[in-house]
Amino acid sequence: MPARIKLIILIIKHSLYTGAAVDYASPETPTLSIDTSRQLVSWLHEQQLSIALSTYQIGKLFLLGVKPSGELSVFERNFSRCMGLCPSPNGFYLSSLNQIWRFENMLEPGQLHEQFDRLYVPQLSYTTGDLDIHDMALTDAGQLIFVNTLFGCLATVSATHSFKPLWKPAFLSKLAAEDRCHLNGLAMMDGKPSYVTAVAQCDVADGWREHRTQGGIVIDVATNEIVLSGLSMPHSPRWHNGKLWLLNSGTGEFGYADLSTGRFEPICFCPGYMRGLAFHGQFALIGLSKPRNNKTFTGLALDEQLTKRNAQPRCGIQIVDLRSGDIVHWLRFEGLVEELYDVIVLPGVRTSMALGFKTDEINRVISIEQ
């Protein structure tokens, strides 16, 4: 795949009450197709929310919403190897290859910029170097916490250094840029970091890759105890409605951890490699990717489940009703986008756009603090 891909896709038309597939192609670019379930757009409209998602595969931030006309809005910007997303009071944070960006909404309540009710500007950045940052979250005090996967620790930003370490698993003998256990997920509870996921309990460089099928663990940050084990490449732990939910990505199962018994309780199967989990009321939004054809993603139980169900892996978003475990809505990417990392919801946002650095728009958006 070329390093630089020209992709022009701003607004995809889509009836509020019908599903549709939309293709974009030109002689210079690969095809991108976005397909949705029949009622997805009406669900977004009824729930009064938008979705933000990241794909590091092609370095894109996508913002999905509903136009005033009732059509699906898809807006994208380029950020190299963007991964972790984290909501903030007036916008969100995004991690990229060597920086963390804080996006702020520049519009006042009720104000519109063209058709958009949110205009997100990359207002602040921290240069971190390539730490392979995965999940991010804000504490109740407003401190940004991120999973520093390269060093296997939780960290925060620094005004003078690449990062400030805050916590590491007890089984790691030192902080080293070796991705020993592939720490990747962070769950907050009562505004504090509470649980993390790792692919393996391993203390040698890149050692997690030999334990992909059953080495996955969940660690209690406060006690440093392993509260759940035997998982397969777990991701995206989240505390919601009194339960610790997570993605058992290597098996394709979404469920919750029964902390009293130390067991994982699946509630549904999703046809793809899961990363990215957000909640809105009784609904879970799950990011799906097509597994890469390499040693990291082959030989997992997910392959067997897909074969058993006569299904092909998908890339997109699955919306699950937590009360039934049913997948009630979905969005699917075909072609150019094959992998996602994170998904967040933007409540109260109808349709949004963001500024980037590839065009001159950012030169003309100037605001004055009152």
Side-chain angles (χ1 to χ4, degrees):
M1 182 176 294
R4 300 183 66 183
I5 299 174
K6 183 180 179 183
L7 173 64
I8 305 172
I9 174 169
L10 296 182
I11 302 299
I12 292 179
K13 293 186 176 182
H14 183 121
S15 169
L16 182 57
Y17 298 108
T18 60
V22 181
D23 296 307
Y24 171 81
S26 77
E28 296 82 22
T29 62
T31 299
L32 172 64
S33 172
I34 299 179
D35 191 14
T36 73
S37 58
R38 194 165 61 89
Q39 296 292 339
L40 172 68
V41 181
S42 60
W43 181 81
L44 291 174
H45 177 74
E46 293 163 1
Q47 299 296 320
Q48 299 183 23
L49 69 110
S50 293
I51 302 171
L53 58 90
S54 61
T55 165
Y56 65 89
Q57 174 211 357
I58 61 168
K60 293 286 184 183
L61 166 70
F62 281 96
L63 299 170
L64 311 176
V66 182
K67 294 169 60 178
S69 61
E71 299 166 335
L72 181 69
S73 170
V74 180
F75 197 93
E76 56 83 22
R77 287 298 187 193
N78 296 317
F79 287 90
S80 180
R81 205 173 189 272
C82 54
M83 293 182 63
L85 283 164
C86 165
S88 67
N90 190 46
F92 56 87
Y93 286 84
L94 172 73
S95 73
S96 63
L97 174 64
N98 49 31
Q99 291 174 299
I100 294 175
W101 292 96
R102 191 186 79 196
F103 286 79
E104 292 290 327
N105 171 43
M106 290 298 165
L107 300 182
E108 298 294 329
Q111 183 182 7
L112 295 178
H113 176 69
E114 298 176 353
Q115 62 184 349
F116 302 100
D117 62 350
R118 298 294 190 279
L119 171 59
Y120 295 115
V121 176
Q123 192 69 20
L124 179 68
S125 72
Y126 295 91
T127 300
T128 61
D130 186 1
L131 301 178
D132 197 18
I133 294 172
H134 281 57
D135 283 5
M136 302 191 298
L138 286 177
T139 68
D140 51 3
Q143 182 185 36
L144 180 67
I145 307 290
F146 61 87
V147 178
N148 182 338
T149 300
L150 181 64
F151 283 82
C153 69
L154 295 182
T156 190
V157 294
S158 169
T160 55
H161 295 78
S162 296
F163 68 97
K164 178 181 179 180
L166 300 176
W167 174 93
K168 71 173 181 64
F171 58 79
L172 289 185
S173 57
K174 62 180 290 188
L175 285 179
E178 297 177 349
D179 190 10
R180 296 182 175 188
C181 63
H182 205 67
L183 195 76
N184 56 41
L186 170 62
M188 305 291 287
M189 186 169 63
D190 299 327
K192 296 178 176 58
S194 298
Y195 298 96
V196 295
T197 50
V199 174
Q201 181 181 351
C202 192
D203 195 28
V204 297
D206 206 39
W208 61 272
R209 295 184 189 276
E210 284 77 49
H211 305 278
R212 297 170 300 117
T213 57
Q214 294 182 325
I217 55 176
V218 175
I219 310 170
D220 185 320
V221 173
T223 65
N224 228 313
E225 295 180 358
I226 296 175
V227 296
L228 195 62
S229 60
L231 301 170
S232 179
M233 300 186 73
H235 282 81
S236 309
R238 306 285 188 264
W239 186 267
H240 180 71
N241 285 352
K243 289 183 178 179
L244 179 62
W245 300 86
L246 60 107
L247 309 175
N248 200 21
S249 306
T251 67
E253 295 172 319
F254 164 60
Y256 61 92
D258 187 334
L259 297 176
S260 62
T261 62
R263 296 185 57 181
F264 174 70
E265 300 292 343
I267 70 165
C268 73
F269 173 80
C270 293
Y273 189 82
M274 300 179 293
R275 281 177 303 203
L277 173 61
F279 291 92
H280 180 73
Q282 292 297 324
F283 298 97
L285 290 80
I286 301 171
L288 291 185
S289 298
K290 294 182 179 180
R292 279 168 267 161
N293 294 320
N294 60 25
K295 292 181 179 180
T296 301
F297 291 91
T298 56
L300 301 173
L302 173 62
D303 297 335
E304 299 175 8
Q305 285 294 322
L306 289 169
T307 300
K308 178 181 177 181
R309 297 166 187 264
N310 195 25
Q312 294 295 317
R314 299 176 182 175
C315 174
I317 298 173
Q318 306 268 281
I319 300 176
V320 178
D321 190 325
L322 300 177
R323 295 162 292 191
S324 63
D326 294 340
I327 297 170
V328 292
H329 305 289
W330 50 263
L331 178 143
R332 191 180 309 163
F333 290 97
E334 292 288 350
L336 186 64
V337 179
E338 294 188 342
E339 294 185 35
L340 305 181
Y341 180 73
D342 214 352
V343 178
I344 59 171
V345 295
L346 303 171
V349 179
R350 188 187 69 213
T351 182
S352 58
M353 66 169 290
L355 297 185
F357 303 100
K358 299 295 184 181
T359 67
D360 63 354
E361 295 165 286
I362 200 165
N363 298 331
R364 302 190 302 273
V365 176
I366 300 173
S367 61
I368 302 174
E369 183 175 354
Q370 301 298 319

